[in-house]
Amino acid sequence: MESMTPISCPTTPRWNQDRPFLTGRFHQETRASSKFADSKRFTLDSSSSGVEQAIGCYDTPVQELIVIDDLLSALVGIEGRYISIKRFHGKEDSIAFQVDPSMDLALQELAKRIFPLCEYYLLIDQFVESSSQFKNGLVNHAFAAALRALLLDYQAMVAQLEHQFRLGRLSIQGLWFYCQPMMGSMRALAAVVQQASTKHFVGSGVLNLLQSQAKAMAGDNSVRSLLEKMTECASNAYLSILERWVYEGIIDDPYGEFFIAENRSLKKESLSQDSTAKYWSQRYSLKDTIPGFLANIAATILTTGKYLNVMRECGHNVQVPISERSKLTIFGSNHHYLECIKAAHEFASIELVNLIKDKYDLIGRLRSIKHYLLLDQGDFLVHFMDIAREELNKKVHEISVEKLQSLLDLALRTTAAAADPRHEELTCCVDRASLLTTLGMHKDPDSNSIEDPMSITGLETFSLSYKVQWPLSIVISKKALSKYQLIFRFLFHCKHVERQLCGAWQIHQGIRSMNSKGTAIPRSSLLCRSMLKFISSLLHYLTFEVLEPNWHVMHDRLQSTRSVDEVIQHHDFFLDKCLRGCLLLLPDVLKKMEKLKSVCLQYAAATQWLISSSIDINSQSHPQKTMIRDTTVTESIFNFEREFNSELQSLGPVLSKGSQAEPYLTHLSQWILGVSKE
């Protein structure tokens, strides 16, 4: 897949990093000039000027007061006189609090119980500062804002504890008692922010992490509720992007967090040029990371916005009506957001289908393509083949496409097709390879022969194209048109073979009044009739057994479709079924048909010589010359007959074998070979 448009985020201003007093980070930085910068701060040398005594020099009640004062500072990430912050730098930066080893052991144990809460606070506070940068995206911004609000409540609790301490009402056991309720919540949040920071999660990654952590805390209602609240706060920004997409078809995603990617290099005009029709499938596509709560409905969300986008590209600024909109709330047992998305999808689907059916007349356009590319309306084709015969008989490299186009326009204007306003959408095109080569089938794989393009004429490579405008090009894309063209080329060549054989038959009919006894003319007439029966049966099968029934099935299905994707599916199914029914996906059968047509064309081209030679034989007076020529003519007809019958008989087993997997080949066998139903 082609790369999506990269997202460029504004850089965080330098002053936000160079001036730590604006962020409060200066409280947490260990000053190199501090006398408590390392373990040497805890010294028993009280005679040194300006150096505090180790805490062990004081009585236990005094130590308790000092420890409480230091712990209150540590709870908001500030070092105390006898409690320091130790930073470890490695694969993962970490922090730890340390106490003066001379402290009373009981006080040390109580202090160490509170240290994890201090560390959690520092982790969360650092995450809040770093996640507020632009590059981290809206979800991280919203999550950081929710954490900042939580930390304000936490700091208010510490301030209240400090007030109680100043009033002499707080012991270290009491401090531990009041800190315990916050321990579980802060631990869970610290685990989330640490993982999010380490793995650089943004957008969907953060939401999925919060959700999974909330599920893991199912046994602790208070912690689970807090994490769910955090998820809700973090998802609000994400849901605002989702709302614009499903209600307006606009991706308002400044930091590239949304799970739908837009490939702006693909334009709608590419549908009429790109044979793979990538626009519809790749202009908007799903990313790998999808929020868990939207995973089951992601495809519906994608198509909803795509439909609205198509209508906007058509100049219709269609939006989901305000009355039908609702804020997408993801939490709660009623799953209200699912109903909102489904309602928006239903609206967009019906609106777009009605638009392409009513305003752009999809059915009428498909019927027009059927008239011309599936030869449903053949009078223009007969006239065109008459006036363009000379040009089509040329080698491919000698053909003038411009001349063919002018002849096609003339044929369209002078036949019943002139009444169709869409006939001007038809254009001529000439391929450089035969049908078998285009389909990737070699005519003679055993001999490893390579097709000589100099030997191919326009009759084998001529095709029609059809100009399709947006938004119908979504359904009738270049890929779909190429399938129509393959069917047209096969039908067109069959028609050409039929016309040539009809010409040969007319030559035979023209000499019926003459006495042809003793010549090869009667045998030639029978062979011509057999060939005509073959090609007529083949055309009848293609038209009335394949194209017409499948067209009516597709037409009926399109009447009840409720989304463009269904329309595309039904149309593609119709084309694929026609391709298979017209033998274009069956190499063995198609090669046999091409060989039989080739024999028919060779015979039709030789008919004039065969007939004229037979007539000359009757009128000649030299017995020896007459015998030689008669033998040559008779042998030529026998050769044609033998080759045609041989190929026709060998077609039987091929059709019989193929009919096991493709039952419709039984009908073809009945038409061409006269095989009765078993």
Side-chain angles (χ1 to χ4, degrees), residues 464-475:
L464 293 178
S465 188
Y466 199 94
K467 296 176 184 175
V468 183
Q469 303 299 324
W470 177 267
L472 294 183
S473 55
I474 293 173
V475 179

Side-chain angles (χ1 to χ4, degrees), residues 32-75:
S33 59
S34 172
K35 56 190 173 183
F36 307 115
D38 53 39
S39 59
K40 291 182 180 179
R41 83 174 86 185
F42 304 119
T43 176
L44 297 175
D45 186 5
S46 58
S47 62
S48 301
S49 175
V51 178
E52 297 209 28
Q53 294 179 326
I55 193 171
C57 297
Y58 300 105
D59 295 336
T60 302
V62 177
Q63 286 188 39
E64 182 178 358
L65 295 175
I66 296 172
V67 171
I68 294 173
D69 189 40
D70 278 6
L71 283 173
L72 290 170
S73 298
L75 284 171

Side-chain angles (χ1 to χ4, degrees), residues 42 55 67 71 82-84 97-103 107-109 111-112 115:
F42 304 119
I55 193 171
V67 171
L71 283 173
Y82 299 101
I83 294 178
S84 62
F97 283 80
Q98 295 179 331
V99 295
D100 185 339
S102 65
M103 185 184 298
L107 292 176
Q108 281 192 47
E109 287 302 314
K112 288 178 181 178
F115 282 169

Side-chain angles (χ1 to χ4, degrees), residues 76-133:
V76 290
I78 304 171
E79 288 187 326
R81 288 175 295 173
Y82 299 101
I83 294 178
S84 62
I85 300 174
K86 179 69 173 178
R87 299 180 185 275
F88 300 95
H89 299 286
K91 289 185 178 179
E92 296 182 8
D93 292 346
S94 60
I95 50 179
F97 283 80
Q98 295 179 331
V99 295
D100 185 339
S102 65
M103 185 184 298
D104 182 77
L105 292 178
L107 292 176
Q108 281 192 47
E109 287 302 314
L110 286 170
K112 288 178 181 178
R113 290 184 185 180
I114 300 174
F115 282 169
L117 186 59
C118 307
E119 294 166 7
Y120 301 151
Y121 172 84
L122 273 178
L123 283 172
I124 296 170
D125 190 53
Q126 288 173 2
F127 177 81
V128 168
E129 293 295 341
S130 62
S131 295
S132 299
Q133 296 180 13

